Amino acid sequence: MRFLQREVFWNSIGVKVFVLYFVSMTFTVAVMGFLSFTKSTSVIQSNAGAMALQTIEQTEKRLQMILDEYDNRSQVILGYQELQKGIIGNFSDYYDRVKNTGTISNFITNMVNSKNDTVSINIIGKYDTSYRYSVITSTGFSVLPAADPALFQQEWCRQIIAADGKVVRFGIGYSFMPINSPTYENNPVYAFGRALKDLQGRGEIIGVLLYEIYPKELQNILREIDFSTSGNTFIMKRSGEIIANDPEKALPREMSELSLPDAPQGTDKAHILGKDELVVYREMEGTDWILVGMVPMKNLFKDTMQIKTYTLYLALIFVVVAIILTYIAGRFVHKPVYTLLYYMKKAREGDFEAKIPNRRSDEFGVLFDSFNVMLYRIKQLIDELYVQRILKKETQLKMLASQINAHFIYNTLDSIHWISRIYKIDTISTMIFGLSKYLRLSLSDGREFVTVDEAVELVESYLSIQKARYEDKFTVDVTVDPSVRQNKVLKFLFQPLVENAIYHGIENLTGTGEMHISWKKVESRLVFTVRDNGVGIKADDLERIRSTLEQTDISENFALRNINAQIKLTYGTEYGLTLESEAGIGTCVTMSIPLKD
């Protein structure tokens, strides 16, 4: 018994698939993951962050040296006594003023010529005189009157005054004091400034120095940082304001939202424009500026290509192994599944004689046996139920037709007709002739289907009998669409509806009745309509009649139910009768059936 249980267990398709997939996938993923992780982690962790941080530190020192040199220039201007004398206006006479102006001009010109990077020097005096030197203007050095007090209320000027003599670095941006000239181009400059104090007096602020320098030297240093072609290096404030960057590389707006740790230097990670970036930063001494370098992770780890190659070869080997194992597993699963699908398709197409040959002892074997039993039972049910249902439907159709079609004796009625003609009893003759014609058309050689023309003739024969009976009680208007005259229809669908209109609508009407009968084509359907101006039907009675049309176990409204049932049995459930009526106005019965040639 134990041996049999063990044999069934190992024959289980689930065990076979599980073992094969478990061994192949576990082995492949474990080996590839361990080797790739160990190798890549050791290389990346030892080199990436440290090298990037070292580069930023070296760059920060170079930038600091340049900025310090700029600061020293302003210190020289700050201590120049002749400049302070000119700003205050402490002159003995006009000659003294002219001499002082020439001395200041030579001093500033020599300073500018010693370094070929100055854009403008703006010395803004509060009391007597201001000076400007600009390489952009044709005159170079200019003497200006004391500055407008409103100038000292501008934000940049207020920052310089608040620093009380210390250097205020504004970074790279557009000039705070552009020249009013149509030829002037307000290009970006590196601007810094400091307050000028009266060194001979009590040290009060007598003016403001705004120094503007070409930013090329600073930008070149930022450009030279070798983080890769897609990296970015820039200087920003803690508040997020960008101070300087490489103009050849546009910074995305997300850079201003970059949040860095409070540490003076270090590394961090950021997600910018859908890319993971390594952020390396270092504070610049004496300022609230931060030198930031951003390197795409994928570029920073480009040295790991050898690891990728190594991993790729391993992956290819393991993929081949996995494919082989998967193929073996697929043979156990795919073949029986395909066999089952093949026989299911045959059964769907109506071949219930199909039987799956079964020599398996696993779950698929049980499934095949169950499928064969299911098909056998379905075939039995079809034989027992479906065929019986068809026979029942045909029998019901014949019974319905037999209830409508009365069996008259055509030859006898024809004889009565000729006797009436001999004795000149015209009314009887007309009725007998109409009835004889009606019966002849009704018999129609035993045919169940007739043309619309023949159905029209049958209705007109019936009407001739009723007109003879009711004399001038009603008038009839019959219209037939020529395009439907030769279409085939059930023989006994139309006359009962005309009969209903006479007996239930016009007979009880006071005065002359009107009846309109039509056969017309609407899209792919034949629509037969009987409309009268009879007594009509009350709303409650109309709803009750409509509800009984689909019922077969009641005796009310037999003719309408009988016709509606025959239409649905012959043509389908989407066809049938519709009733519209209003008490005192009249009734309209509409029949819809498909057009058949």
Side-chain angles (χ1 to χ4, degrees):
M1 180 62 69
R2 290 181 179 178
F3 173 76
L4 291 175
Q5 291 178 346
R6 185 167 60 252
E7 183 179 7
V8 170
F9 176 81
W10 287 110
N11 281 332
S12 169
I13 192 67
V15 172
K16 295 172 185 176
V17 173
F18 175 81
V19 171
L20 290 172
Y21 273 96
F22 180 84
V23 171
S24 62
M25 297 303 174
T26 302
F27 178 77
T28 301
V29 173
V31 174
M32 287 184 60
F34 176 79
L35 295 177
S36 299
F37 177 80
T38 303
K39 189 68 176 179
S40 61
T41 301
S42 62
V43 173
I44 294 171
Q45 289 183 350
S46 62
N47 297 325
M51 291 179 62
L53 184 58
Q54 185 179 10
T55 302
I56 284 293
E57 290 175 357
Q58 294 174 353
T59 303
E60 188 272 336
K61 292 178 181 179
R62 292 179 61 191
L63 290 172
Q64 194 64 53
M65 290 176 61
I66 295 173
L67 296 179
D68 289 342
E69 193 272 331
Y70 293 160
D71 296 347
N72 292 335
R73 297 187 200 181
S74 65
Q75 183 66 35
V76 173
I77 296 175
L78 182 67
Y80 190 55
Q81 292 184 2
E82 292 296 320
L83 182 63
Q84 294 198 357
K85 180 180 178 180
I87 294 174
I88 297 172
N90 187 17
F91 305 113
S92 58
D93 53 27
Y94 177 76
Y95 175 78
D96 189 19
R97 177 185 291 274
V98 173
K99 182 181 177 181
N100 175 267
T101 300
T103 302
I104 294 173
S105 175
N106 292 333
F107 169 75
I108 293 178
T109 301
N110 291 333
M111 177 177 286
V112 171
N113 291 336
S114 65
K115 292 285 185 178
N116 193 22
D117 58 3
T118 301
V119 177
S120 67
I121 300 175
N122 300 278
I123 302 169
I124 305 165
K126 293 179 63 176
Y127 298 104
D128 186 86
T129 310
S130 298
Y131 303 95
R132 164 179 278 181
Y133 185 93
S134 175
V135 296
I136 299 173
T137 61
S138 58
T139 58
F141 180 77
S142 303
V143 180
L144 305 170
D148 187 346
L151 180 63
F152 292 94
Q153 298 303 315
Q154 295 187 18
E155 179 61 25
W156 63 271
C157 197
R158 291 169 60 184
Q159 291 182 29
I160 294 174
I161 294 172
D164 196 29
K166 294 181 181 180
V167 176
V168 178
R169 297 170 179 169
F170 296 104
I172 298 175
Y174 293 101
S175 175
F176 295 125
M177 296 187 66
I179 298 173
N180 186 16
S181 172
T183 61
Y184 175 74
E185 294 181 2
N186 193 13
N187 294 320
V189 295
Y190 169 71
F192 65 97
R194 64 195 311 168
L196 298 174
K197 293 186 176 182
D198 184 6
L199 300 180
Q200 302 299 322
R202 293 176 296 181
E204 65 176 339
I205 295 176
I206 60 175
V208 170
L209 168 66
L210 178 65
Y211 207 130
E212 296 178 340
I213 297 176
Y214 286 113
K216 186 175 181 180
E217 187 174 10
L218 297 175
Q219 292 172 341
N220 285 340
I221 292 176
L222 297 176
R223 187 183 297 116
E224 289 170 1
I225 299 178
D226 186 20
F227 280 145
S228 75
T229 55
S230 58
N232 285 298
T233 307
F234 54 93
I235 301 173
M236 65 180 293
K237 290 185 177 181
R238 280 284 183 186
S239 61
E241 180 184 355
I242 303 298
I243 301 300
N245 66 288
D246 181 0
E248 296 181 1
K249 295 182 179 180
L251 294 178
R253 288 180 297 177
E254 287 82 357
M255 294 296 189
S256 61
E257 302 174 2
L258 186 64
S259 178
L260 296 175
D262 295 330
Q265 68 176 30
T267 60
D268 198 8
K269 292 182 180 180
H271 192 72
I272 305 294
L273 296 178
K275 297 180 180 179
D276 292 326
E277 306 272 351
L278 176 66
V279 181
V280 187
Y281 64 95
R282 179 181 173 87
E283 289 183 354
M284 298 186 68
E285 184 179 352
T287 67
D288 65 338
W289 294 5
I290 305 173
L291 178 61
V292 181
M294 300 192 69
V295 193
M297 290 289 191
K298 63 177 183 178
N299 293 345
L300 187 64
F301 301 151
K302 61 184 178 181
D303 293 335
T304 61
M305 288 300 297
Q306 57 178 338
I307 302 174
K308 292 182 180 179
T309 303
Y310 178 72
T311 304
L312 179 60
Y313 285 129
L314 284 178
L316 290 175
I317 294 173
F318 292 136
V319 165
V320 172
V321 174
I323 290 174
I324 294 173
L325 294 175
T326 303
Y327 175 76
I328 296 172
R331 291 288 298 175
F332 283 101
V333 177
H334 180 264
K335 187 175 180 179
V337 171
Y338 179 81
T339 300
L340 182 60
L341 290 175
Y342 172 77
Y343 282 94
M344 288 178 68
K345 183 179 180 181
K346 293 184 69 174
R348 184 179 62 185
E349 293 172 352
D351 183 7
F352 295 104
E353 299 291 341
K355 183 178 181 181
I356 303 177
N358 183 22
R359 292 185 295 273
R360 302 182 67 99
S361 57
D362 55 17
E363 289 89 344
F364 277 106
V366 177
L367 189 60
F368 290 168
D369 286 339
S370 300
F371 180 81
N372 291 336
V373 172
M374 181 184 68
L375 286 187
Y376 176 74
R377 290 294 301 147
I378 290 174
K379 187 175 183 302
Q380 278 189 326
L381 289 173
I382 290 174
D383 292 341
E384 295 173 4
L385 301 178
Y386 186 72
V387 174
Q388 292 180 11
R389 187 175 180 183
I390 293 176
L391 293 175
K392 181 179 179 181
K393 187 174 181 180
E394 291 179 351
T395 302
Q396 185 179 8
L397 188 59
K398 291 179 180 179
M399 290 177 64
L400 290 171
S402 66
Q403 291 172 353
I404 298 172
N405 184 18
H407 293 278
F408 296 99
I409 305 174
Y410 168 72
N411 292 330
T412 304
L413 291 176
D414 191 53
S415 299
I416 297 174
H417 164 68
W418 287 109
I419 293 172
S420 299
R421 291 287 299 272
I422 292 172
Y423 287 96
K424 297 182 180 181
I425 307 176
D426 294 335
T427 301
I428 296 175
S429 174
T430 300
M431 294 181 68
I432 294 299
F433 178 75
L435 182 58
S436 174
K437 185 178 181 181
Y438 174 82
L439 292 176
R440 176 174 55 81
L441 294 171
S442 297
L443 294 175
S444 60
D445 301 326
R447 287 180 291 128
E448 191 175 3
F449 288 87
V450 296
T451 64
V452 172
D453 261 346
E454 291 174 316
V456 172
E457 192 175 358
L458 185 65
V459 170
E460 288 177 340
S461 299
Y462 172 76
L463 287 172
S464 67
I465 299 172
Q466 297 301 332
K467 283 183 178 181
R469 173 185 174 186
Y470 289 99
E471 295 182 348
D472 296 328
K473 180 65 176 178
F474 63 88
T475 61
V476 180
D477 174 32
V478 179
T479 59
V480 184
D481 188 341
S483 64
V484 301
R485 287 184 176 274
Q486 299 306 314
N487 288 101
K488 298 290 186 179
V489 292
L490 274 175
K491 182 166 48 180
F492 295 109
L493 295 180
F494 309 97
Q495 178 269 333
L497 300 182
V498 177
E499 183 178 348
N500 264 15
I502 295 172
Y503 287 123
H504 300 291
I506 294 176
E507 187 175 46
N508 298 321
L509 179 68
T510 302
T512 303
E514 294 180 3
M515 187 184 306
H516 301 277
I517 304 172
S518 67
W519 283 264
K520 60 182 178 179
K521 179 180 179 181
V522 179
E523 296 180 352
S524 61
R525 298 188 176 199
L526 172 64
V527 177
F528 173 71
T529 304
V530 179
R531 180 182 290 106
D532 65 72
N533 66 339
V535 295
I537 306 172
K538 295 180 180 179
D540 293 343
D541 294 337
L542 181 62
E543 289 301 319
R544 179 174 52 78
I545 293 172
R546 286 171 176 170
S547 66
T548 59
L549 286 180
E550 304 296 333
Q551 302 179 33
T552 58
D553 54 350
I554 58 177
S555 58
E556 296 181 83
N557 307 301
F558 176 77
L560 292 178
R561 286 192 298 101
N562 201 359
I563 294 171
N564 193 56
Q566 190 170 358
I567 292 171
K568 293 184 180 298
L569 286 172
T570 304
Y571 298 111
T573 56
E574 66 269 32
Y575 302 101
L577 299 178
T578 57
L579 279 76
E580 301 292 335
S581 183
E582 187 175 350
I585 302 299
T587 303
C588 178
V589 180
T590 302
M591 177 197 302
S592 174
I593 60 175
L595 285 171
K596 293 184 178 296
D597 294 332

